[in-house]
Amino acid sequence: MSRQDRQLKVGLLFAETGVTAAIERSQRCGALLAVEQVNREGGVLGEPVLTLVGDPGGDPDRYRNLCDDYVRNHGVRLMLGCYMSHTRKAVMPVIERADGLLFYPTPYEGFEYSPNIIYGGPAPNQNSAPLAAYLTRHYGARVAFVGSDYIYPRESNHVMRHLYKQHGGEVVEEAYMPLYPSADDLALVVERVVRSAPDVVFSTVVGTGTASFYQAMAQRYGNGPRPPIASLTTSEAEIAEMGAEAARGNIVVAPYFTSVESPQSNAFVSQCRAFFPADVRITAWAEAAYCQMRMLCQAVNATGSLEVEVIRNHLYHASMDSPQGRVQVEQQNNHSHLFSRIGEIDARGQICIKWQSSTTIRPDPYVVVHNLDDWTLSMMGGGPS
Ligand code: ACM
C-alpha cells in the first residue's frame, strides 16, 4: 500500500455558521480533539489522520454538496457529521451510493436504518422514554409540545404523544415555529403555551431559536411560577446562548453531561478545555463526535484496513470506555448502546444530574420492545441511581 492509500481521511460535515453553528462547532471540536490525540499517539496505520472540513451552514443542499465533493473530488468515503435530521436525510443517498460510512453523533427521531450510517446519538427509547416517565412522575400529566418546524420535532412529538398517553398523560398543545423564528412567531407560540396551562413543556426547538424561545418564556412568566421546559437537544451550547436566568429550572436529557464524575469524564473535560476555543462549549454531542472518531480510528488500526465493510464489522465487536461510560455499536440496527441521564439546570446554568440509567440502554430505534413501566419503576427513588 502506498502512503496515500494507507492514510485515513475523514470528511467532516459540521456547520461553522447558520442556525445550529453553536452545537455543530462543539461537535466538530470533539471530533478534532480525538484526531489530535490519535495523531499524537502515532496516528492510524502509521500515518496522521487527515480531516476535510467545509461549512455547510445548516442548509441541507450544502451538506449534500459537501458530501458529494468529498466522495468525488477527494476519494473520501468515511464521514462524520450532520446535526439536523433533514441534513442527514440529504446526505444519506450520497453516502449509500458511494457505499461509504457516515458517523452521526446526534440525537434524532428514530425510525431509520441505513447500512451506511452509524448512529452515535440516542434514539427515542434512550431519551424520550425515560424522560416521559420522569416528567409525568415529577411534574404532572399535562404537556405542551413546542418545536421547530422540520422532521425531527414533528416525529419526536409523535413518539412523545404516544409515550405520554401510555402514562395517562395529555398533550394540551402542539405548536411549531420556523427554524429562524421572528419575535411575532415566538410571541404567538408562547401565548399558546400560556393559554394551555401545561405542567411541563416538551421543546424540540433547535439551534438559535432555542435561546430565543426560553428567553421569551422566562419573560412572559416573569417572577411567577413557570412550567419547566424539557428537551432532548438543549445542551451547554444553547444554555450559554440563553443565559442562566432563562435556563434555570429546565430539564435536559442526554447520554452525557460534563457534571458526570468519573476519571474518563474528568479527563475529557480538561482535554476539551485545553483544546476548544473559548466560545465553544463542551456538550454531549461533542462527546458523541469524540467517541465516534476514536472508535473509527481504533477500528482502522485494529484491522489494518480502510474498507468500509471491514471497519463496520469490527465496530460491532468493539467497545469504548468513553466519558459517559462503556459504549458499543449494535449490529442489528447500527445504533449505539448509550447511557441516559436526566438533568435539571440550576441558577448558575449548570446541569445537575437527577436520574441516570444504571447501565447502557440497548438502542431500539423503532421503539418496538420497550416496556415503559420499567422506567417508572427505576425512578421511584427520584435521585440518581
Ligand atoms: C435533530 O434534528 N436530529 C436534532
Short mmCIF file of all heavy atoms in Angstrom, two decimals, residues 67-90:
data_model
loop_
_atom_site.label_atom_id
_atom_site.label_comp_id
_atom_site.label_asym_id
_atom_site.label_seq_id
_atom_site.Cartn_x
_atom_site.Cartn_y
_atom_site.Cartn_z
N CYS A 67 -20.72 16.62 0.93
CA CYS A 67 -20.51 15.17 0.99
C CYS A 67 -20.13 14.65 -0.41
O CYS A 67 -19.19 13.85 -0.55
CB CYS A 67 -21.80 14.54 1.50
SG CYS A 67 -21.68 12.78 1.74
N ASP A 68 -20.83 15.11 -1.40
CA ASP A 68 -20.57 14.72 -2.78
C ASP A 68 -19.15 15.13 -3.20
O ASP A 68 -18.43 14.37 -3.86
CB ASP A 68 -21.62 15.39 -3.68
CG ASP A 68 -21.75 14.68 -5.00
OD1 ASP A 68 -21.84 13.45 -4.98
OD2 ASP A 68 -21.75 15.37 -6.04
N ASP A 69 -18.75 16.32 -2.80
CA ASP A 69 -17.40 16.82 -3.10
C ASP A 69 -16.34 15.92 -2.45
O ASP A 69 -15.34 15.56 -3.08
CB ASP A 69 -17.27 18.26 -2.60
CG ASP A 69 -15.85 18.79 -2.77
OD1 ASP A 69 -15.35 18.78 -3.92
OD2 ASP A 69 -15.23 19.18 -1.75
N TYR A 70 -16.56 15.54 -1.19
CA TYR A 70 -15.60 14.64 -0.51
C TYR A 70 -15.45 13.33 -1.28
O TYR A 70 -14.35 12.81 -1.45
CB TYR A 70 -16.06 14.33 0.92
CG TYR A 70 -16.01 15.48 1.91
CD1 TYR A 70 -16.81 15.46 3.06
CD2 TYR A 70 -15.15 16.56 1.73
CE1 TYR A 70 -16.76 16.49 3.99
CE2 TYR A 70 -15.11 17.60 2.65
CZ TYR A 70 -15.92 17.56 3.77
OH TYR A 70 -15.88 18.58 4.70
N VAL A 71 -16.59 12.79 -1.72
CA VAL A 71 -16.57 11.49 -2.42
C VAL A 71 -15.89 11.63 -3.78
O VAL A 71 -14.95 10.91 -4.10
CB VAL A 71 -18.01 10.94 -2.59
CG1 VAL A 71 -17.99 9.68 -3.47
CG2 VAL A 71 -18.65 10.63 -1.25
N ARG A 72 -16.40 12.58 -4.59
CA ARG A 72 -15.96 12.67 -5.99
C ARG A 72 -14.56 13.22 -6.15
O ARG A 72 -13.76 12.72 -6.94
CB ARG A 72 -16.88 13.61 -6.77
CG ARG A 72 -18.16 12.98 -7.21
CD ARG A 72 -19.03 14.05 -7.82
NE ARG A 72 -20.41 13.65 -7.86
CZ ARG A 72 -20.96 12.99 -8.86
NH1 ARG A 72 -20.26 12.67 -9.91
NH2 ARG A 72 -22.22 12.64 -8.81
N ASN A 73 -14.25 14.28 -5.40
CA ASN A 73 -13.00 15.00 -5.65
C ASN A 73 -11.88 14.64 -4.70
O ASN A 73 -10.73 15.02 -4.92
CB ASN A 73 -13.26 16.52 -5.61
CG ASN A 73 -14.30 16.91 -6.65
OD1 ASN A 73 -14.35 16.31 -7.73
ND2 ASN A 73 -15.16 17.86 -6.32
N HIS A 74 -12.20 13.96 -3.60
CA HIS A 74 -11.15 13.63 -2.63
C HIS A 74 -11.09 12.14 -2.32
O HIS A 74 -10.28 11.72 -1.50
CB HIS A 74 -11.38 14.43 -1.33
CG HIS A 74 -11.39 15.91 -1.54
ND1 HIS A 74 -10.24 16.68 -1.54
CD2 HIS A 74 -12.42 16.76 -1.80
CE1 HIS A 74 -10.57 17.94 -1.77
NE2 HIS A 74 -11.86 18.02 -1.94
N GLY A 75 -11.97 11.36 -2.94
CA GLY A 75 -11.94 9.90 -2.73
C GLY A 75 -12.23 9.49 -1.29
O GLY A 75 -11.77 8.45 -0.83
N VAL A 76 -13.02 10.31 -0.59
CA VAL A 76 -13.30 10.03 0.82
C VAL A 76 -14.65 9.34 0.95
O VAL A 76 -15.64 9.80 0.38
CB VAL A 76 -13.28 11.36 1.63
CG1 VAL A 76 -13.84 11.15 3.03
CG2 VAL A 76 -11.87 11.90 1.69
N ARG A 77 -14.68 8.23 1.70
CA ARG A 77 -15.95 7.52 1.89
C ARG A 77 -16.33 7.44 3.37
O ARG A 77 -17.37 6.91 3.72
CB ARG A 77 -15.87 6.11 1.30
CG ARG A 77 -15.79 6.12 -0.23
CD ARG A 77 -16.19 4.78 -0.80
NE ARG A 77 -15.32 3.72 -0.34
CZ ARG A 77 -15.63 2.43 -0.33
NH1 ARG A 77 -16.81 2.04 -0.75
NH2 ARG A 77 -14.78 1.53 0.10
N LEU A 78 -15.44 7.95 4.24
CA LEU A 78 -15.72 7.93 5.68
C LEU A 78 -16.00 9.35 6.13
O LEU A 78 -15.18 10.25 5.90
CB LEU A 78 -14.52 7.34 6.44
CG LEU A 78 -14.20 5.89 6.06
CD1 LEU A 78 -12.82 5.49 6.55
CD2 LEU A 78 -15.27 4.95 6.64
N MET A 79 -17.17 9.56 6.74
CA MET A 79 -17.58 10.92 7.11
C MET A 79 -18.09 10.90 8.55
O MET A 79 -18.58 9.89 9.04
CB MET A 79 -18.74 11.40 6.25
CG MET A 79 -18.62 11.04 4.80
SD MET A 79 -18.23 12.44 3.80
CE MET A 79 -18.05 11.61 2.21
N LEU A 80 -18.01 12.06 9.17
CA LEU A 80 -18.58 12.23 10.50
C LEU A 80 -19.29 13.57 10.51
O LEU A 80 -18.69 14.58 10.12
CB LEU A 80 -17.46 12.19 11.55
CG LEU A 80 -17.86 11.98 13.02
CD1 LEU A 80 -16.69 11.43 13.82
CD2 LEU A 80 -18.35 13.25 13.68
N GLY A 81 -20.56 13.58 10.90
CA GLY A 81 -21.22 14.87 10.99
C GLY A 81 -22.71 14.83 10.82
O GLY A 81 -23.33 13.77 10.88
N CYS A 82 -23.28 15.99 10.60
CA CYS A 82 -24.70 16.32 10.50
C CYS A 82 -25.30 16.47 11.90
O CYS A 82 -24.98 15.71 12.82
CB CYS A 82 -25.51 15.30 9.72
SG CYS A 82 -25.04 15.23 7.98
N TYR A 83 -26.16 17.43 12.02
CA TYR A 83 -26.92 17.64 13.27
C TYR A 83 -28.41 17.52 12.96
O TYR A 83 -29.03 16.51 13.30
CB TYR A 83 -26.54 18.98 13.90
CG TYR A 83 -27.27 19.25 15.20
CD1 TYR A 83 -26.88 18.63 16.38
CD2 TYR A 83 -28.38 20.09 15.23
CE1 TYR A 83 -27.57 18.85 17.56
CE2 TYR A 83 -29.07 20.32 16.41
CZ TYR A 83 -28.66 19.69 17.58
OH TYR A 83 -29.36 19.91 18.75
N MET A 84 -28.98 18.47 12.24
CA MET A 84 -30.42 18.42 11.98
C MET A 84 -30.75 17.23 11.06
O MET A 84 -30.02 16.94 10.11
CB MET A 84 -30.90 19.73 11.36
CG MET A 84 -30.90 20.88 12.35
SD MET A 84 -31.64 22.38 11.70
CE MET A 84 -30.41 22.93 10.56
N SER A 85 -31.89 16.61 11.34
CA SER A 85 -32.23 15.37 10.64
C SER A 85 -32.40 15.57 9.14
O SER A 85 -32.12 14.66 8.36
CB SER A 85 -33.48 14.75 11.24
OG SER A 85 -33.15 14.17 12.48
N HIS A 86 -32.89 16.73 8.71
CA HIS A 86 -33.04 16.90 7.26
C HIS A 86 -31.68 17.04 6.58
O HIS A 86 -31.56 16.79 5.38
CB HIS A 86 -34.03 18.00 6.87
CG HIS A 86 -33.76 19.37 7.43
ND1 HIS A 86 -32.93 19.60 8.49
CD2 HIS A 86 -34.22 20.59 7.05
CE1 HIS A 86 -32.91 20.90 8.75
NE2 HIS A 86 -33.67 21.52 7.89
N THR A 87 -30.63 17.40 7.32
CA THR A 87 -29.29 17.40 6.71
C THR A 87 -28.77 15.97 6.59
O THR A 87 -28.15 15.62 5.59
CB THR A 87 -28.30 18.30 7.50
OG1 THR A 87 -28.03 17.72 8.78
CG2 THR A 87 -28.83 19.70 7.68
N ARG A 88 -29.07 15.13 7.60
CA ARG A 88 -28.67 13.70 7.49
C ARG A 88 -29.41 13.04 6.34
O ARG A 88 -28.82 12.29 5.56
CB ARG A 88 -28.99 12.98 8.81
CG ARG A 88 -28.62 11.50 8.81
CD ARG A 88 -29.18 10.76 10.03
NE ARG A 88 -30.61 10.56 9.95
CZ ARG A 88 -31.53 11.26 10.59
NH1 ARG A 88 -31.19 12.22 11.42
NH2 ARG A 88 -32.82 11.02 10.44
N LYS A 89 -30.72 13.34 6.22
CA LYS A 89 -31.50 12.74 5.13
C LYS A 89 -30.97 13.19 3.76
O LYS A 89 -31.05 12.45 2.79
CB LYS A 89 -32.97 13.14 5.26
CG LYS A 89 -33.64 12.66 6.54
CD LYS A 89 -34.44 11.40 6.34
CE LYS A 89 -35.23 11.05 7.58
NZ LYS A 89 -35.49 9.60 7.68
N ALA A 90 -30.45 14.43 3.70
CA ALA A 90 -29.92 14.95 2.42
C ALA A 90 -28.63 14.22 2.02
O ALA A 90 -28.37 14.00 0.83
CB ALA A 90 -29.67 16.45 2.54
#
